[in-house]
Amino acid sequence: MASVFATAGFTLYIEPVYVAVDSIMGGRNLAGLILSLSVLAAFSQLHVAVTSAAGASANIVANARRGTFGRHKVAWILASLILIAGFLMSDLPVTSPSLIRTYGSQPGMMAFLLAASSFIAYTSASIVRVLVSHLRQMSAAFRFGFFLVCAGCLGAISLLAARSVLQFVADRSIQESFSPYYGVGQGVAVICVAAGLSTSRLVGIGHTVSFDIAARWHLLRMLPLWRAATRGKPNLVLHNGRLPVADVFNARPHTALQRRITEIRDCLLVDPDGLSDTWATHGSILIQAERLMKAPLTTSSTDRTAA
């Protein structure tokens, strides 16, 4: 859900998309309201996901009883209502992707900015606190990913705080000079959070892909030993008559490899002396394949909990 809301918000953030959507909705910057509410919802869902994952390793029921989710839900609803109220109080006749820069002097837009900034800062700080408290439970890949998430959240807090202060203490020229830095910093913060959330998943995908490739390679290398072991023993072959090379292209190569290993071992039990020559040449391949099957296929339970 965080990804869905974030995608909606940052798609609207693209100026041509914003202008096109707002023109369809009447040209009153309703696209800006939808964008802001989507970003708040994305942060809220990200907070729920991170807090739930952290609570799963301890006692999520006790976490809920302490009111963590309840307080954050109230803060999200309150911030969203203030955003809507501030938007309705403001006069926004011209479509502008940057509502604060164009209409920031209006009281409604000030309330709009403060509500959004406060909620994002509160949520980011809460996410950072949860992640830091669970660093020891994470693998190196997860730790690196969550450091990126922390950096993105802290960057978002700093940028929002700086922009909020400038709205009250600096003149318009200084605010406009800060806008390019804010835009670049905001983009970097988003990239950090996205990269951090993707790191653990990419590591898992890479591990699975490398395991599949290794399993297919061992299936190919084991063909001579498998043919020699199963020759004359059709009752010990699960899929007798099937081309053995077809297993190399199996959708689940680790299952096919396990079956081939079992068939070879069964044949060795039935006729331990009939494979002496072939075993001398190809026996090490079977041992390597068995070692591969003993290796963990997925990330540890701690990493899955951290995810």
Side-chain angles (χ1 to χ4, degrees):
M1 292 303 297
S3 300
V4 170
F5 285 120
T7 300
F10 287 108
T11 300
L12 282 173
Y13 193 74
I14 302 171
E15 186 168 353
V17 177
Y18 183 98
V19 173
V21 172
D22 196 59
S23 63
I24 295 173
M25 302 182 73
R28 296 285 298 176
N29 286 294
L30 282 172
L33 178 62
I34 296 173
L35 187 160
S36 301
L37 291 174
S38 297
V39 172
L40 260 61
F43 270 89
S44 177
Q45 290 298 314
L46 179 60
H47 176 271
V48 170
V50 171
T51 307
S52 298
S57 62
N59 188 344
I60 193 169
V61 176
N63 196 324
R65 285 174 180 170
R66 287 197 297 269
T68 301
F69 294 110
R71 288 194 302 270
H72 189 269
K73 190 174 183 179
V74 170
W76 171 46
I77 294 173
L78 184 61
S80 299
L81 291 175
I82 294 174
L83 249 68
I84 295 171
F87 181 87
L88 295 176
M89 288 168 54
S90 303
D91 183 22
L92 315 171
V94 180
T95 297
S96 174
S98 180
L99 294 178
I100 302 302
R101 182 167 30 177
T102 307
Y103 302 108
S105 59
Q106 298 186 30
M109 279 292 101
M110 288 184 181
F112 186 100
L113 170 64
L114 286 174
S117 301
S118 299
F119 178 78
I120 293 174
Y122 162 69
T123 304
S124 299
S126 180
I127 290 171
V128 169
R129 179 184 58 78
V130 172
L131 297 180
V132 169
S133 65
H134 287 77
L135 285 177
R136 291 184 179 180
Q137 302 175 25
M138 302 176 191
S139 67
F142 273 75
R143 192 174 296 116
F144 174 73
F146 285 134
F147 270 127
L148 288 178
V149 173
C150 289
C153 291
L154 288 173
I157 293 173
S158 302
L159 288 168
L160 288 167
R163 191 176 71 170
S164 300
V165 170
L166 288 176
Q167 289 288 331
F168 296 101
V169 303
D171 56 30
R172 192 172 185 82
S173 61
I174 296 177
Q175 294 177 26
E176 291 179 352
S177 64
F178 177 73
S179 294
Y181 297 101
Y182 177 81
V184 172
Q186 189 181 51
V188 172
V190 170
I191 291 172
C192 284
V193 173
L197 293 174
S198 302
T199 298
S200 58
R201 180 60 177 162
L202 292 175
V203 169
I205 291 174
H207 188 277
T208 302
V209 170
S210 64
F211 183 88
D212 283 1
I213 293 173
R216 296 178 199 280
W217 172 238
H218 281 297
L219 280 168
L220 193 60
R221 295 175 67 208
M222 284 173 55
L223 276 176
L225 178 62
W226 180 85
R227 286 196 178 103
T230 58
R231 187 178 296 116
K233 305 179 185 69
N235 58 313
L236 296 179
V237 179
L238 181 60
H239 298 304
N240 190 26
R242 178 179 176 180
L243 290 175
V245 74
D247 283 333
V248 178
F249 306 99
N250 195 303
R252 301 180 64 187
H254 53 282
T255 302
L257 181 61
Q258 181 64 62
R259 188 177 69 248
R260 292 298 185 208
I261 292 172
T262 303
E263 290 170 350
I264 293 173
R265 286 296 183 186
D266 288 347
C267 292
L268 285 171
L269 288 173
V270 172
D271 186 14
D273 300 323
L275 291 174
S276 56
D277 294 338
T278 307
W279 181 261
T281 305
H282 301 288
S284 61
I285 297 175
L286 178 64
I287 295 173
Q288 292 172 16
E290 289 174 332
R291 288 175 181 170
L292 177 69
M293 295 303 296
K294 290 178 181 178
L297 176 60
T298 59
T299 53
S300 69
S301 58
T302 300
D303 283 352
R304 289 198 299 272
T305 299

